[in-house]
Amino acid sequence: MIKVAIIGYGNLGRGVERSLKQQKDMELVGVYTRRAPETVQTEGAQAFTMDQLKDKKGEIDVCILCGGSATDLPTQTPEWTHLFNTIDSFDTHAKIPEHFAKVDRVAKENQTTSIISTGWDPGLFSLNRLYAQSILPVGETNTFWGKGVSQGHSDALRRIEGVADAVQYTIPNSEVIEKLKAGEHLTLTTRDKHFRECFVVLEDEFDPEKIREEIVSMPNYFVEYDTEVHFISQADLDQNHKAMPHGGTVLHTGTTHENTKQVIEYNLQLESNPEFTASVLVAYARACVRLAKEKQFGAYTVLDIAPKYLSDRTDEELRKELL
Ligand code: NDP
């Protein structure tokens, strides 16, 4: 059995606990948290302090880091890779090379293995971009996200004075997707590819029109998009908008000989973004343990991992059943 620890217990941590219950070859040995363990409501797993994790070297095959990308993972992944094999879902795209270099150095110095930036984007979408662009070098790749909840944009709405609560959906432009699939060559702006839809609960005495204006003109978040804003009650928001669906499409349209059109489409429709992301992390945790057993120390990303390493089946079984 592969012994797994969860570091950090939020949405993703809970998703990893759920996913591990579906694996035959893996067991959860504990949840490690910065909070007082007795205050963390797990779904059965025992919770411990981070200090208790330091004594577990040799007893845990892999730690799945479930902290946030903004401030947790940049320090937590290098820190725990000193002692353990690790997996993370670091998704600040521009900072991945820097994060990789830091974790790679620690892993090589301490003879551990780490797979960083797993999940679906970065992660499975990155892999599909690589396959598509390698197979059809004459072509164009577009990634569309949604329909789904963007935590970053929802947080940005909640920071506005007068907003009590809010949820933001990213919606892909389906007309543009169909045109691309039909082989049209389009020059696309940010505004063409996605819409943004906001459901906002106002605090009393705030003017909806002023708040709407503040939202649609917010730099970096909304100003480059067509944004629709709906004002609703807290009860409506709680009842209808607290799930965390997401998904998206990697679409590559290319040509082979002359104008022979080829379309590659990879699509995810997720009722729960964190539960799906967690399931990807768990599969890559298996690969991480296998690489470590082969003494392949250092940092890796999904682009480096042979697909068969994700599976609990033998090479022979995979050749027989999947080819
Ligand atoms: P959360 O905010 O739910 O959890 C992050 C951390 O915050 C936890 O590890 C936990 O650490 C702490 N925490 C959680 N709940 C509480 C609470 N009630 N009070 C105080 N602290 C709390 O983040 P998510 O799990 O939703 O997401 C984690 C990361 O996953 C995101 O930042 C994102 O980068 C990444 N992600 C990546 C994707 C990909 O495709 N690559 C897709 C989706 C997400 P502790 O237990 O130590 O307190």
Side-chain angles (χ1 to χ4, degrees):
M1 282 293 235
I2 297 172
K3 292 187 166 30
V4 183
I6 293 173
I7 300 184
Y9 195 85
N11 299 310
L12 204 54
R14 184 173 304 104
V16 170
E17 184 178 11
R18 288 180 182 174
S19 170
L20 285 171
K21 287 179 183 156
Q22 299 183 328
Q23 312 296 332
K24 292 192 268 320
D25 60 333
M26 301 173 121
E27 65 175 319
L28 179 58
V29 297
V31 164
Y32 292 86
T33 176
R34 292 163 295 187
R35 284 165 286 160
E38 62 278 10
T39 64
V40 176
Q41 297 287 316
T42 69
E43 294 184 349
Q46 235 191 309
F48 302 96
T49 64
M50 293 295 197
D51 270 347
Q52 288 172 294
L53 182 59
K54 289 183 188 141
D55 306 327
K56 295 287 175 187
K57 191 171 160 62
E59 292 175 38
I60 292 168
D61 295 310
V62 60
C63 292
I64 303 186
L65 285 111
C66 298
S69 288
T71 55
D72 297 339
L73 298 176
T75 56
Q76 286 184 334
T77 309
E79 184 187 341
W80 292 111
T81 304
H82 271 110
L83 295 176
F84 300 103
N85 301 315
T86 56
I87 298 287
D88 81 18
S89 69
F90 184 71
D91 70 354
T92 314
H93 294 257
K95 292 190 176 163
I96 290 174
E98 187 189 319
H99 185 61
F100 180 91
K102 214 159 135 189
V103 178
D104 189 46
R105 187 172 44 74
V106 175
K108 284 185 174 142
E109 280 170 9
N110 294 281
Q111 304 213 322
T112 56
T113 303
S114 180
I115 307 177
I116 64 148
S117 299
T118 54
W120 57 279
D121 200 358
L124 301 181
F125 274 15
S126 321
L127 265 183
N128 280 279
R129 288 189 280 259
L130 179 138
Y131 282 132
Q133 290 169 8
S134 307
I135 293 163
L136 298 174
V138 178
E140 191 192 330
T141 316
N142 279 286
T143 304
F144 294 87
W145 295 275
K147 180 181 179 177
V149 172
S150 159
Q151 294 300 341
H153 286 78
S154 302
D155 287 345
L157 292 176
R158 288 191 287 262
R159 284 195 293 268
I160 296 173
E161 199 193 344
V163 171
D165 202 353
V167 168
Q168 191 269 182
Y169 294 92
T170 306
I171 302 167
N173 185 336
S174 49
E175 263 177 50
V176 164
I177 294 177
E178 289 314 313
K179 281 183 183 168
L180 287 170
K181 280 205 248 181
E184 279 191 42
H185 292 288
L186 304 173
T187 311
L188 295 171
T189 63
T190 304
R191 191 178 299 277
D192 296 327
K193 290 178 71 178
H194 297 93
F195 308 112
R196 299 203 176 275
E197 190 173 25
C198 309
F199 290 87
V200 175
V201 181
L202 276 189
E203 284 172 8
D204 289 342
E205 295 168 28
F206 278 86
D207 175 6
E209 279 322 303
K210 267 197 184 152
I211 301 270
R212 184 193 308 278
E213 192 45 43
E214 192 171 341
I215 293 171
V216 300
S217 59
M218 193 189 292
N220 301 322
Y221 286 92
F222 294 102
V223 74
E224 290 178 1
Y225 298 87
D226 288 338
T227 301
E228 221 177 294
V229 183
H230 310 278
F231 294 101
I232 61 172
S233 67
Q234 185 71 55
D236 189 351
L237 193 85
D238 290 345
Q239 201 180 338
N240 300 312
H241 301 285
K242 286 284 162 155
M244 282 183 272
H246 218 317
T249 303
V250 174
L251 183 67
H252 184 84
T253 45
T255 50
T256 42
H257 179 64
E258 292 174 351
N259 285 325
T260 313
K261 184 162 67 77
Q262 319 279 13
V263 176
I264 302 175
E265 186 178 2
Y266 180 75
N267 178 266
L268 292 176
Q269 292 169 37
L270 313 174
E271 270 190 24
S272 165
N273 178 4
E275 282 184 26
F276 181 78
T277 304
S279 303
V280 181
L281 296 188
V282 166
Y284 277 94
R286 183 182 289 118
C288 182
V289 172
R290 192 154 161 192
L291 285 175
K293 276 198 183 131
E294 294 171 355
K295 300 196 184 314
Q296 299 204 46
F297 303 127
Y300 298 88
T301 72
V302 296
L303 304 181
D304 304 306
I305 309 298
K308 67 179 186 179
Y309 280 28
L310 303 179
S311 174
D312 65 347
R313 288 181 273 176
T314 65
D315 294 1
E316 290 72 22
E317 283 169 340
L318 292 173
R319 277 193 291 272
K320 208 166 136 197
E321 291 163 25
L322 300 183
L323 293 179

